């Protein structure tokens, strides 16, 4: 009976939150199979620790916390390429802001994949979870200065990768028009 | 679109200002945060900085929308529920396996009402108790100090197992749901499997991945703590030795080890790895 009840509750949890968890996992993991794998891991842990969830309204945050831990654990020994060498600047802000349908998702995914796991997590918490820098610092137990630095570098890197091609094209167009 | 340099030595290049600007979420009241009061002052004083800030807020709003609208694959909910069900079934299987199985020697039954117990029976009971106690101690030691194996340990053992003929025949029934084949190798219809009694002291299942062309291959699925494995198989084998190509990766609590007879080409044919994000 207890198992039936637990199965019912976990099924409800999956029904209500699997999409949100998957989307978060996708931007962290960087590919569909890895995101699906990570999502399944989250619910496996949730199933084991379901009694820890006291209030249904806290479910999403709880699942997200499990996701962040699972992601960081899986990436501990496999830090990707870019960590601290991104430029700290705001020069990559486009003059004309594109619509969301104009954003190249694949390019965005590649840009995220170039970041270290720590930078990727911070920037995904900012964009996907809508976390303030203070919330990020609290949840990851990091100094606020570290969070702000990672956020600025990671965001700058994403913009550079997303908009550099367009910027180069515009520059070339302006140069040829000037001639 | 222009290159929006806001003065190479101006306030926009001040890391403190840049970080504060980047920390403000679109559509939020983050600027009213007392720790960001200095930024509000800077923005009020510098029109070009204020303009960059406004543009960044709009760009961040667009990116946030892209992050939140990522398509979700069809059937994901069902696949998650199936995996959870499999995990519950496996736990139930493990629980029942922990009970006495028919293969284990039966413990001597308690002797009825005051009958004398023979010396031989007493010795048997004492012997069995001693063995059980030492197993318990070993289990407790293992629990408190789990051995962390390396990827190299796993690869070498998998090759040894692959090279050693097993006395257990391949099974054609449904494989154990808690040790599923990895979705990162090609799917084999009606895949054959067998239990591996011990893989670095852990439970494991071997799947026969041999191809119709005659290339022998085995996928080991192990529940074992292993340090430093990636979450996907590499495109090139991590270890090639003795005419065997092998790699290991992990997913959750499961470690997968693929051993293929021959060189990298045969190994690659068995991978089903989609790399990079696909929208």
């Amino acid at each position: 009976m207890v198992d039936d009840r637990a199965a019912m509750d976990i099924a409800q949890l999956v029904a209500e939150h699997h999409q949100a968890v998957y989307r978060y996992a996708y931007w962290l993991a960087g590919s569909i199979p890895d995101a699906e794998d990570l999502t399944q891991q989250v619910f496996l842990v949730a199933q084991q620790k379901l009694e820890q969830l006291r209030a249904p309204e806290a479910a999403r945050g709880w699942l997200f916390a499990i996701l962040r831990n699972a992601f960081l654990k899986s990436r501990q020994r496999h830090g990707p390429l870019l960590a601290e060498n991104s430029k700290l600047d705001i020069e990559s802000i486009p003059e004309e802001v594109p619509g969301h349908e104009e954003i190249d998702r694949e390019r965005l995914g590649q840009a995220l994949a170039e970041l270290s796991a720590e930078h990727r997590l911070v920037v995904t918490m900012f964009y996907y979870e809508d976390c303030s820098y203070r919330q990020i610092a609290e949840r990851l137990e990091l100094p606020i200065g570290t969070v702000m630095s990672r956020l600025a570098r990671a965001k700058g890197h994403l913009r550079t990768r997303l908009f550099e091609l367009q910027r180069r094209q515009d520059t070339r167009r302006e140069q040829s028009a000037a001639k | 679109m222009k290159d929006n340099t806001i003065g190479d030595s101006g306030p926009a290049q001040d890391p403190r200002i840049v970080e504060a600007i980047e920390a403000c979420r679109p559509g939020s009241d983050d600027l009213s945060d007392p720790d960001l009061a200095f930024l509000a002052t800077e923005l009020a004083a510098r029109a070009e900085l204020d303009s960059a800030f406004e543009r960044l807020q709009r760009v961040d709003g667009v990116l946030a929308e892209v992050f939140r609208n990522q398509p979700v694959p069809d059937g994901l909910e069902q696949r998650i529920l199936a995996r959870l069900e499999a995990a519950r079934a496996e736990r139930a299987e493990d629980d029942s396996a922990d009970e006495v199985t028919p293969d284990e020697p039966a413990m001597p039954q308690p002797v009825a009402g005051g009958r004398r117990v023979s010396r031989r029976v007493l010795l048997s009971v004492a012997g069995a108790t001693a063995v059980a106690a030492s197993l318990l101690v070993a289990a407790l030691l293992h629990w408190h100090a789990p051995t962390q194996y390396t990827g190299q340990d796993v690869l070498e053992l998998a090759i040894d197992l692959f090279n050693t003929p097993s006395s257990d025949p391949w099974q054609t029934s449904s494989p154990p749901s808690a040790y599923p084949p990895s979705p990162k190798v090609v799917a084999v219809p009606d895949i054959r499997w067998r239990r591996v009694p011990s893989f670095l002291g852990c439970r494991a299942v071997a799947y026969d991945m041999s191809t119709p062309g005659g290339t022998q291959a085995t996928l080991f699925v192990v529940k074992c703590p292993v340090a430093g494995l990636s979450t996907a198989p590499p495109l090139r084998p991590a270890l090639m030795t003795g005419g065997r190509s092998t790699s290991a990766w992990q997913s959750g609590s499961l470690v997968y080890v693929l051993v293929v007879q021959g060189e990298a080409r045969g190994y690659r044919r068995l991978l089903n790895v989609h790399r990079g994000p696909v929208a």
Side-chain angles (χ1 to χ4, degrees):
Chain A
M1 184 65 87
V2 172
D3 275 357
D4 287 351
R5 176 65 204 269
M8 192 185 74
D9 290 345
I10 191 76
Q12 192 179 343
L13 213 58
V14 172
E16 287 175 11
H17 300 292
H18 76 278
Q19 295 195 337
V21 172
Y22 171 82
R23 290 190 176 108
Y24 200 160
Y26 175 83
W27 294 112
L28 292 178
S31 76
I32 292 172
D34 286 346
E36 189 161 333
D37 226 15
L38 196 51
T39 305
Q40 293 194 353
Q41 284 177 43
V42 169
F43 285 104
L44 281 169
V45 173
Q47 178 169 259
Q48 285 169 1
K49 301 185 174 177
L50 201 56
E51 75 283 357
Q52 291 180 1
L53 179 61
R54 304 266 175 222
E57 61 272 18
R60 180 169 295 212
W62 182 63
L63 291 168
F64 283 177
I66 295 173
L67 172 62
R68 288 193 296 267
N69 285 338
F71 167 71
L72 284 177
K73 212 177 274 180
S74 72
R75 304 289 155 145
Q76 262 172 3
R77 288 169 182 267
H78 298 276
L81 326 171
L82 180 109
E84 299 295 340
N85 49 356
S86 273
K87 271 173 40 180
L88 184 64
D89 68 39
I90 53 172
E91 292 173 21
S92 50
I93 309 167
E95 183 80 10
E96 289 168 21
V97 178
H100 69 93
E101 67 286 350
E102 294 171 70
I103 299 290
D104 184 337
R105 287 171 181 273
E106 195 169 340
R107 190 182 285 265
L108 177 59
Q110 284 165 356
L112 275 166
E114 290 166 353
L115 294 169
S116 71
E118 292 78 12
H119 286 75
R120 207 180 323 163
L121 180 56
V122 164
V123 80
T124 306
M125 289 177 79
F126 179 85
Y127 282 125
Y128 185 74
E129 268 199 89
D130 194 29
C131 287
S132 71
Y133 68 100
R134 286 185 189 283
Q135 289 169 325
I136 297 172
E138 281 167 18
R139 291 177 193 177
L140 299 183
E141 297 179 0
L142 289 171
I144 280 178
T146 304
V147 170
M148 292 180 87
S149 164
R150 286 183 185 174
L151 197 51
R153 288 172 193 277
K155 288 175 65 185
H157 175 75
L158 296 190
R159 286 196 307 270
T160 302
R161 285 286 188 263
L162 280 174
F163 305 125
E164 68 183 355
L165 186 65
Q166 200 174 348
R167 194 162 67 172
R168 270 196 236 123
Q169 286 169 346
D170 287 348
T171 307
R172 270 201 296 272
R173 209 173 297 132
E174 280 168 14
Q175 283 170 347
S176 58
K179 285 175 189 170
Chain B
M1 195 179 295
K2 293 173 186 172
D3 192 343
N4 299 293
T5 307
I6 308 172
D8 286 342
S9 56
Q13 296 307 312
D14 179 342
R16 188 164 169 248
I17 290 177
V18 173
E19 288 177 2
I21 287 176
E22 296 278 17
C24 291
R25 291 167 298 167
S28 72
D29 60 351
D30 287 345
L31 264 183
S32 61
D33 182 328
D35 285 354
L36 299 181
F38 74 95
L39 178 61
T41 308
E42 288 287 345
L43 293 175
R46 293 179 55 95
E48 76 279 25
L49 192 63
D50 190 48
S51 162
F53 178 76
E54 288 299 325
R55 274 202 317 280
L56 180 60
Q57 290 275 293
R58 281 185 281 136
V59 170
D60 280 349
V62 168
L63 289 177
E65 205 172 336
V66 173
F67 269 74
R68 288 174 200 146
N69 290 324
Q70 177 60 25
V72 176
D74 289 339
L76 176 64
E77 184 178 357
Q78 286 70 34
R79 289 193 293 280
I80 295 169
L81 291 173
R83 177 114 183 236
L84 296 177
E85 174 61 35
R88 284 198 297 274
E90 171 65 15
R91 203 169 49 190
E93 196 181 297
D94 284 353
D95 289 348
S96 61
D98 289 342
E99 294 166 9
V100 175
T101 64
D103 293 333
E104 287 172 336
M107 289 290 285
Q109 295 298 309
V111 181
R115 218 172 110 193
R116 275 181 67 93
V117 180
S118 77
R119 188 184 177 88
R120 192 173 157 195
V121 170
L122 276 175
L123 284 172
S124 301
V125 172
T129 308
V131 169
S134 54
L135 284 174
L136 182 64
V137 169
L140 284 172
L141 286 173
H142 181 74
W143 176 260
H144 287 294
T147 308
Q148 184 86 358
Y149 295 104
T150 65
Q152 189 68 19
D153 297 332
V154 170
L155 298 177
E156 287 172 0
L157 177 62
I159 290 177
D160 283 349
L161 288 171
F162 183 81
N163 290 338
T164 310
S166 171
S167 56
D168 295 328
W170 291 111
Q171 308 285 321
T172 51
S173 55
S174 296
S177 52
Y179 295 79
S182 169
K184 290 166 185 172
V185 297
V186 295
V188 175
D190 303 321
I191 193 165
R192 302 190 303 164
W193 63 277
R194 66 177 160 226
R195 285 201 184 274
V196 178
S198 176
F199 192 112
L200 295 174
C202 304
R203 296 180 180 203
V205 166
Y207 287 95
D208 182 16
M209 300 291 295
S210 302
T211 64
T215 302
Q216 301 292 309
T218 300
L219 175 70
F220 295 94
V221 186
V222 192
K223 273 192 184 172
C224 201
V226 177
L229 292 181
S230 67
T231 54
L235 292 175
R236 292 189 58 77
L239 178 63
M240 292 172 67
T241 180
R244 308 285 184 253
S245 299
T246 184
S247 284
W249 66 101
Q250 63 188 349
S251 171
S253 61
L254 295 178
V255 170
Y256 294 97
V257 198
L258 179 63
V259 185
V260 183
Q261 176 191 37
E263 300 198 345
R265 209 166 150 197
Y267 164 87
R268 255 197 314 274
R269 276 202 205 108
L270 289 172
L271 299 185
N272 179 29
V273 183
H274 308 277
R275 297 211 172 258
V278 184

